[in-house]
Amino acid sequence: MFRHSQLESVKAWIANPAHAAMPLHARIQRAVRQLIVDGALGPGKPLPASRALAVSLGVSRDTIEAAYAQLHAEGFIDRRVGSGSFVAEITEFTPGRRLPRRDTFPSDQAPALSRRGAAVFSGGGVREMPVPRPFAHGVPETRTFPLALWERLERQVRKEVGAQSLFHGDPQGTEPLRRAIADYVNLERGARATADRVLVLTSSQQAMALCAGMLFDPGDGIFLEDPAYYGARKAFEAAGLDCVPIRVDRHGIVVDQILAEPRRAKAVFLTPSHQFPTGATLALDRRLALIEWAALHRSWIIEDDYDSEFRYAGKPTACVQGLDPHGRTIYIGTFTKSLFPGLRIGYAVLPPQLVKPMTVARTLLDGHTAPMAQLTLARFMEGGHFGAHVRAMRGVYAERLDVLAGLVGKHLSDFVEPQVPIGGLQMPCLLTGGLAERTAVDAARRAGIELLGLSALHAAGDGKAGFLMGFAAYTPFEIETAVRTLEKAFRAATKP
C-alpha cells in the first residue's frame, strides 16, 4: 500500500483545479507516474492492489484499472498475474543515475543563450499593445474599417479558390497580391516595381530582419538615422551589426556625414518620406546623393515607407527606390498602418538579384503568408477599395491631428511644444518646462495614457526630451479626454 504521504500526493493531484479537464483515470495515472519519475516509488516497489487503492481514493475499481493499464502501456509499471503491479526497472530513474535535485537548474537561472540570442533578448523585442489606448503611436483607426465588405470579398475568394487556399502558399506571395502591390507603389509612390520583384511578408519588421541576416555579416556597419525607429535599430543590433548613427535635421538625414566616411558602412537605413520620429522629409538633393553613394560603393539603401499614405500638407515626394536607376534600394512597405494591425501583411520590393535569396531565407522563418488573407487583400486593392479607404482615413486623421494640436496648445503649453507633422499617425512634442521625460512618461502611464519618450530613440539616449502622441486611432472626444487627463497628471507630477 502507498505510504500516507504518497497517498495524499495522489489525492492532491486529483483535486487540483488545474487538472480538472482530465478524466479521473488520467489524473490518477499522472499522479502515480510523477511519484515514479520523482523517485518516490523506486524500481521493483509494489503498487497497491486496484481494489484497495479504489477504496482509499473513493473511486471505482475500473478507474484504477484504467490508470494502471496506461502506466503499463507506457512502460512505467510491470503487471504480473497473481502477484500484482510493480514499478518497472527504468534505468534513467534509478537512484544511481538520477541527477541530484540540488544539481538541477533552478527555474530563475539565466539561460545559456548564444551571443546573438543574448542580443535579441536584451534588446527587449518590439511589443505592441493588444488594445491601444491614447496616445499609443502608429495605430490606425480600426472601428470604422469596412469589415462587412472585407468579409464579402473573403467569401468570394473562398468560393472561387476553394480548398486551394488552405494549403501552403508561395513563399514569395500570391501572384495577384504581388501584382496589386506593384501597381499601387508604381502609381502612388513612383516606384520601379514588377510583380516578380515583390516579396510578401508578415511585417516590415520581418523585412528588416531578413535584410540584416542576408546582406551583412556580424561587425558590418550600417548607417542609421539618429533618432531612428527602434524596431530597425533592434533588428540590426540583434544581427551583430555596427549601427553608425547619422544626425537628422529638418531636411532628413545629414548625408555629409555619410559621404565623409563612405566605406564605414555597407548600407543606410532610411525613413525618407516621413522620418521616424521627427516627421522630416528627406530633401531631393540628399536622396540623389545617397543613390550615387550606394551605386559607387556597392552599398544598399533600405527604405522603410511605413506610413506615406497619410500626408496632410503638400504633395508627396517620390520614393527613393523609384529614383534609383542602379537597383541598390530595397523598398519596404506594410498594410499595418493603412488597414489594420491584425492583417499581418507587409512587403519588400527587391532588386532582381535579391529576390531568390530573400525568398529562400523567408522559407526558414515562417514559410509563407496566409493565402486567404493575401487573396482577399488583392481583391480589396483591385476593386479600388484600398484607395477609397486610404482617402477617407486621410481626411479623418487630418481632422484628429488638428484637434490634438489645438488641445495640446491649450492644455499642455506649460509643459510641451507640439511639432505638428505634415503626415503620419503621431505628433512629436518637445518638453519645454522643468518636467523630465521619464517623469512625464511614468506620470502618463499611471493615469492610463501611453506616451513614447523621444530621447531613447537617439543612439546615445541624449536627444531632446519629449514624447510621441499617436492620434489616428482615437476620436476627438477621446483625444480631449486624454489630453485633460494628461494635464492633471503633469501638474500633479510637478507639484513640490
Side-chain angles (χ1 to χ4, degrees), residues 323-383:
L323 299 173
D324 179 6
H326 312 294
R328 304 301 301 178
T329 302
I330 298 164
Y331 178 89
I332 298 172
T334 178
F335 294 98
T336 296
K337 306 291 190 294
S338 54
L339 293 179
F340 53 93
L343 182 57
R344 306 316 301 152
I345 294 182
Y347 58 91
V349 179
L350 302 168
Q353 68 271 30
L354 291 183
V355 174
K356 286 186 178 179
M358 289 288 202
T359 303
V360 169
R362 193 273 169 88
T363 65
L364 296 176
L365 298 178
D366 57 352
H368 65 95
T369 301
M372 179 63 74
Q374 290 188 69
L375 294 170
T376 304
L377 175 57
R379 190 156 300 197
F380 191 75
M381 297 178 76
E382 291 164 354

Side-chain angles (χ1 to χ4, degrees), residues 33-298:
R33 185 178 71 181
Q34 197 62 49
L35 289 173
I36 296 171
V37 170
D38 289 342
L41 291 175
K45 293 290 184 181
L47 271 65
S50 57
R51 189 185 305 277
L53 185 56
V55 172
S56 298
L57 296 179
V59 300
S60 72
R61 186 181 179 189
D62 288 344
T63 299
I64 303 299
E65 283 293 336
Y68 278 7
Q70 184 62 29
L71 287 167
H72 178 63
E74 293 178 354
F76 285 95
I77 67 173
D78 292 327
R79 308 198 75 182
R80 305 166 195 165
V81 177
S83 299
S85 301
F86 301 84
V87 178
E89 295 285 345
I90 307 172
T91 305
E92 287 79 358
F93 297 136
T94 57
R97 294 288 299 275
R98 268 186 75 82
L99 188 67
R101 187 171 294 275
R102 65 177 180 276
D103 292 334
T104 59
F105 296 108
S107 59
D108 59 347
Q109 181 170 320
L113 301 176
S114 66
R115 284 193 294 271
R116 177 170 291 183
V120 170
F121 183 54
S122 64
V126 177
R127 294 187 175 93
E128 306 292 349
M129 298 181 65
V131 180
R133 61 184 184 183
F135 292 99
H137 70 284
V139 184
E141 174 60 81
T142 57
R143 289 168 291 190
T144 58
F145 181 78
L147 195 56
L149 169 61
W150 183 272
E151 291 172 341
R152 176 163 59 83
L153 296 176
E154 189 175 57
R155 286 195 298 272
Q156 290 177 6
V157 169
R158 195 158 46 237
K159 182 177 180 180
E160 294 175 18
V161 180
Q164 190 63 39
S165 65
L166 306 180
F167 296 128
H168 287 285
D170 184 338
Q172 190 178 345
T174 63
E175 198 276 337
L177 180 56
R178 289 189 284 112
R179 186 177 61 244
I181 290 172
D183 290 344
Y184 169 72
V185 295
N186 289 342
L187 177 65
E188 297 293 337
R189 303 296 301 122
R192 300 167 180 253
T194 54
D196 59 348
R197 292 175 59 182
V198 175
L199 174 61
V200 178
L201 300 165
T202 53
S203 65
S204 55
Q205 192 68 39
Q206 186 182 51
M208 287 181 271
L210 271 175
C211 289
M214 290 297 291
L215 302 180
F216 314 107
D217 292 313
D220 284 345
I222 181 169
F223 292 124
L224 214 62
E225 298 167 326
D226 190 28
Y229 171 56
Y230 52 87
R233 179 180 286 128
K234 289 182 177 183
F236 299 135
E237 287 179 344
L241 304 190
D242 177 20
C243 295
V244 182
I246 304 296
R247 185 172 59 88
V248 170
D249 63 17
R250 62 192 182 92
H251 298 297
I253 194 169
V254 179
V255 298
D256 293 348
Q257 295 178 246
I258 295 175
L259 302 180
E261 298 182 274
R263 297 186 182 277
R264 188 176 176 186
K266 292 186 176 181
V268 60
F269 174 82
L270 303 170
T271 51
S273 298
H274 182 229
Q275 202 278 330
F276 186 93
T278 67
T281 298
L282 185 61
L284 179 60
D285 60 336
R286 298 186 183 186
R287 295 173 185 238
L288 298 176
L290 288 173
I291 288 170
E292 292 307 308
W293 163 79
L296 181 62
H297 299 285
R298 306 298 294 168

Side-chain angles (χ1 to χ4, degrees), residues 252-479:
I253 194 169
V254 179
V255 298
D256 293 348
Q257 295 178 246
I258 295 175
L259 302 180
E261 298 182 274
R263 297 186 182 277
R264 188 176 176 186
K266 292 186 176 181
V268 60
F269 174 82
L270 303 170
T271 51
S273 298
H274 182 229
Q275 202 278 330
F276 186 93
T278 67
T281 298
L282 185 61
L284 179 60
D285 60 336
R286 298 186 183 186
R287 295 173 185 238
L288 298 176
L290 288 173
I291 288 170
E292 292 307 308
W293 163 79
L296 181 62
H297 299 285
R298 306 298 294 168
S299 300
W300 298 106
I301 298 171
I302 302 174
E303 177 181 14
D304 183 8
D305 204 22
Y306 64 100
D307 67 359
S308 62
E309 290 88 358
F310 303 113
R311 190 178 180 93
Y312 315 121
K315 294 183 178 180
T317 55
C319 64
V320 173
Q321 193 267 359
L323 299 173
D324 179 6
H326 312 294
R328 304 301 301 178
T329 302
I330 298 164
Y331 178 89
I332 298 172
T334 178
F335 294 98
T336 296
K337 306 291 190 294
S338 54
L339 293 179
F340 53 93
L343 182 57
R344 306 316 301 152
I345 294 182
Y347 58 91
V349 179
L350 302 168
Q353 68 271 30
L354 291 183
V355 174
K356 286 186 178 179
M358 289 288 202
T359 303
V360 169
R362 193 273 169 88
T363 65
L364 296 176
L365 298 178
D366 57 352
H368 65 95
T369 301
M372 179 63 74
Q374 290 188 69
L375 294 170
T376 304
L377 175 57
R379 190 156 300 197
F380 191 75
M381 297 178 76
E382 291 164 354
H385 309 299
F386 177 71
H389 179 71
V390 167
R391 287 190 295 273
M393 290 298 99
R394 193 179 293 140
V396 170
Y397 297 165
E399 177 191 359
R400 293 179 179 183
L401 173 58
D402 287 343
V403 169
L404 177 62
L407 288 168
V408 169
K410 179 179 180 181
H411 296 283
L412 301 178
S413 58
D414 291 344
F415 307 100
V416 299
E417 178 184 331
Q419 309 290 297
V420 183
I422 61 173
L425 308 181
Q426 53 273 327
M427 181 178 75
C429 291
L430 300 180
L431 286 160
T432 55
L435 189 60
E437 181 181 293
R438 185 72 263 164
T439 302
V441 171
D442 289 344
R445 186 163 293 143
R446 288 193 297 271
I449 305 295
E450 200 67 28
L451 302 175
L452 176 66
L454 291 177
S455 63
L457 301 177
H458 291 257
D462 57 356
K464 290 183 178 179
F467 47 78
L468 282 180
M469 302 180 76
F471 56 82
Y474 318 108
T475 66
F477 174 76
E478 290 169 336
I479 291 172

